[in-house]
Amino acid sequence: MQRLLFAGFLVVLAAACGPNPQAPVQVMALVNKTAKGYEPTQVELKTLHDVVAMKGDVATFIGGAHITLADDDPAIAVPLGDDQFAAAIVKNKGGDVHASFIEKDHILWPADFHTWNMVTLYFNIEKTTEYFQANGATATELGAIPIYYFPEYRVGSVISNPTKDNAFYLAPLHGMLILPFDKFQDTPLAMAQTVISHEYSHSVFNKRVFQDQGQINAYGVWAAGGVPGATNAMKSLDEGLADFHAYGASCRSSAGCNPNLYSKVLPDSLASARELAHADRCLSTVDRQSKLETMDSQTFIQNGYLYQVGTVIASSLYQAAEKTGQRDELEKNILAAYTDTTAATPGFAEIVAQNLNTPAELTLEEIADVMLSHVSDPTLKKQLCNELWGRLKLNIDATHVQHCPIGAAPVTDCGQVP
Amino acid sequence: MRTLLASLAVLLVLSSPAFAQKDDDAPIPYPDEQNDDAPVQRKQLPRHSEDTPEVREETEDEQREREQSLAGLDDPNLGLAGEFLAGLMFPDSSRGAFPDARFAWGLRFTWELGRITGNETLRESLFGDVTWSYATIKDGTTAIHGDSNLHYFTVAPAYGLPFGPNKIFSLYAQVGAGLAYQATFITVSQASTGVSGVKPLFQYGVGLRGHPTVLQELPMRVSFRLECTRFRRGYLDDTFAGGSVGVDF
């Protein structure tokens, strides 16, 4: 009788411990399958080591955190170093998530909605890291991105209501925040592969272009100098490249290439404005001058103009890739352009450093030239120049965009956009 | 001469009591004191009293009757109760935040199992529950959402410290075990996929129990409970705060 009780105790003790399968983990996730939409699908997570706490080589989840990024927060009223600033804005560090599973035939089935959400999110991140590694990034460089899952996030004021319906990369925390949904009742942002790939791309941009700074020194210097154009241009570039990488990652998914990145994810009015395939994605001269080059950065960002300019950049890359059939090549070239210490072909990081004290010279032309200087295929280079020239209204001459090949000509899709 | 004889006679008369004793030191007997030599006119007693009787061993029936507690003679109740329970379940939050409160309800059957021991203290303190409780977790967007149905089945003994008039209240502590059955569905654009499973359940908690008499002439009482109970559901921890009310027979 005693042995029976002890054996029963051991069984209960074993079952009281969470599942701990070795990677690769066989698990169910919600995968977008184009016409059918999202379906429960068995996937293999190659890098996940702790399925309950959702910690792996590419991401580590944090639940229950409280983060406040407020102008009236006395904790950040004085200049702070990156680590101190990060500690000051995290009011509650949170803790491990507790994914809940039911094991069936050695496959882990999420037992509630948030576990479905987190597993699918991890799957999307894993696929995105595979995209970047296929284009030249290393696993060491990418590391494990912290995912703040459904945190309480306040912005603007310490007494503001928590923000909802968003997912974004926050440089001070070097991590991604997936906020609770409220009005967004379509596909949860965490499940949308294009959203996750877009946000993850910001972490890669921050690592390579800004050396993974928590508080971007260049933006601070340029703001103090009262020259917003460089900040506006770099932020627009960041958004544009994130959209282009999100598109590239979608081409590797089971749903296939999706230029309508945020369809059924964001409200139609927002999603349609970000679609890459529209032929007339162009920046007007008026918008370039009044918004990009002269509008103060805070207003530029708050009004979402960085997405407007970013979509034009992304669309230029999309059109060049699809018209030449060299999307894979362009993805590699663009990622290589993030940082390049070669004097003749500086990367984005290098032109930021070069123009730290001359922000007026960091223009769309400078940015376009960096891209073109890292494209080796002549056909692709010419088409890319055509797209950027026509859509961004570039000023290309002997001294600007020198890597635009002879014979290039601006696309005429923007004929209706002055 | 005559005077001398008279004197001698007087002296002899006066000394007659002395002549009556054989021995001057012999005690003067009490009137009811028997004299061995005196003639006995009483019933004949045996020469020897009976031997001290041996104390025989108790029979088993006599032992049982001696040990039988009389505590229940004035308690007409059987010690069985049925209750409907309701409250808030705080299922372990998979997103690592403070658990959301979910309405939970169920049924409970209680047996005052201390009654079978015959011990008055255990009779009042020891009881056991068989409980089923149910809670649901719903979350997600309109397009994609999940529904989880949690069923908790437990058997749990408890020990209480009675107090109050007629000891109708008790503060108790309880541990138990059982099984949790979970059926979960994920719905994508109205197409649902379900999976279910069973996990071991360990229960522990404290509470206040009461069974006041409502009507003296009826052999039943109202039974109620206020409790805080934790469940270890596999590797997850759920907390229930609520109460129950029912009838005690």
Side-chain angles (χ1 to χ4, degrees), chain A residues 15-19 38 40 52 63 96-102 104 111-116 118 149 181 184-186, chain B residues 92-97 139-146 148 182 184 186 188 193 195-197 199-200 232 234-236:
Chain A
C17 301
Y38 288 83
V52 174
D96 289 344
V97 299
H98 271 179
S100 175
F101 294 98
I102 294 172
K104 189 174 162 185
D112 59 39
F113 167 78
H114 283 293
T115 303
W116 279 105
M118 292 189 292
Y149 185 78
F181 40 75
F184 284 10
Q185 289 295 316
D186 214 316
Chain B
D92 201 327
S93 172
S94 57
R95 56 190 175 95
D139 218 329
T141 64
T142 304
I144 300 178
H145 54 271
S148 297
Q182 184 170 353
T184 186
I186 188 74
V188 181
T193 305
V195 68
S196 61
K199 290 190 194 297
R232 181 77 174 173
Y235 57 89
L236 303 170

Side-chain angles (χ1 to χ4, degrees), chain B residues 20-200:
Chain B
Q21 294 184 15
K22 288 186 176 177
D23 187 357
D24 287 340
D25 292 330
I28 301 172
Y30 285 101
D32 57 352
E33 201 173 52
Q34 291 192 359
N35 193 323
D36 283 345
D37 295 332
V40 178
Q41 292 184 354
R42 60 181 188 272
K43 67 174 181 179
Q44 295 294 319
L45 296 174
R47 290 188 62 78
H48 300 284
S49 62
E50 288 183 2
D51 293 336
T52 302
E54 287 180 8
V55 178
R56 68 176 173 82
E57 288 183 7
E58 273 184 317
T59 64
E60 287 184 8
D61 288 340
E62 286 170 340
Q63 280 180 349
R64 277 196 297 273
E65 287 174 10
R66 179 171 59 81
E67 293 168 355
Q68 185 179 19
S69 170
L70 304 178
L73 286 183
D74 60 349
D75 181 3
N77 294 92
L78 300 175
L80 296 172
E83 297 172 354
F84 173 79
L85 68 87
L88 295 177
M89 183 70 78
F90 297 85
D92 201 327
S93 172
S94 57
R95 56 190 175 95
F98 188 82
D100 294 325
R102 311 282 176 175
F103 177 70
W105 63 278
L107 297 172
R108 170 162 42 222
F109 298 97
T110 302
W111 177 38
E112 294 174 0
L113 53 90
R115 288 170 179 254
I116 63 173
T117 65
N119 179 289
E120 185 169 349
T121 301
L122 292 179
R123 178 190 177 86
E124 293 173 345
S125 302
L126 188 63
F127 62 94
D129 294 332
V130 177
T131 309
W132 163 74
S133 52
Y134 170 73
T136 62
I137 304 173
K138 295 177 188 290
D139 218 329
T141 64
T142 304
I144 300 178
H145 54 271
D147 297 82
S148 297
N149 302 292
L150 302 172
H151 298 263
Y152 304 78
F153 300 93
T154 59
V155 177
Y159 190 89
L161 298 176
F163 66 95
N166 296 325
K167 297 185 179 179
I168 60 175
F169 302 109
S170 66
L171 291 170
Y172 70 90
Q174 183 171 48
V175 292
L179 294 172
Y181 172 74
Q182 184 170 353
T184 186
F185 300 88
I186 188 74
T187 302
V188 181
S189 301
Q190 299 174 350
S192 288
T193 305
V195 68
S196 61
V198 174
K199 290 190 194 297

Side-chain angles (χ1 to χ4, degrees), chain A residues 30-50:
Chain A
L30 285 174
V31 179
N32 189 11
K33 294 188 172 178
T34 321
K36 292 184 181 180
Y38 288 83
E39 289 181 23
T41 306
Q42 182 180 340
V43 300
E44 186 176 88
L45 298 181
K46 304 180 184 67
T47 62
L48 185 61
H49 299 299
D50 187 336

Side-chain angles (χ1 to χ4, degrees), chain A residues 313-324:
Chain A
I313 294 173
S315 187
S316 302
L317 293 167
Y318 165 84
Q319 295 288 353
E322 296 306 314
K323 288 177 180 175
T324 62

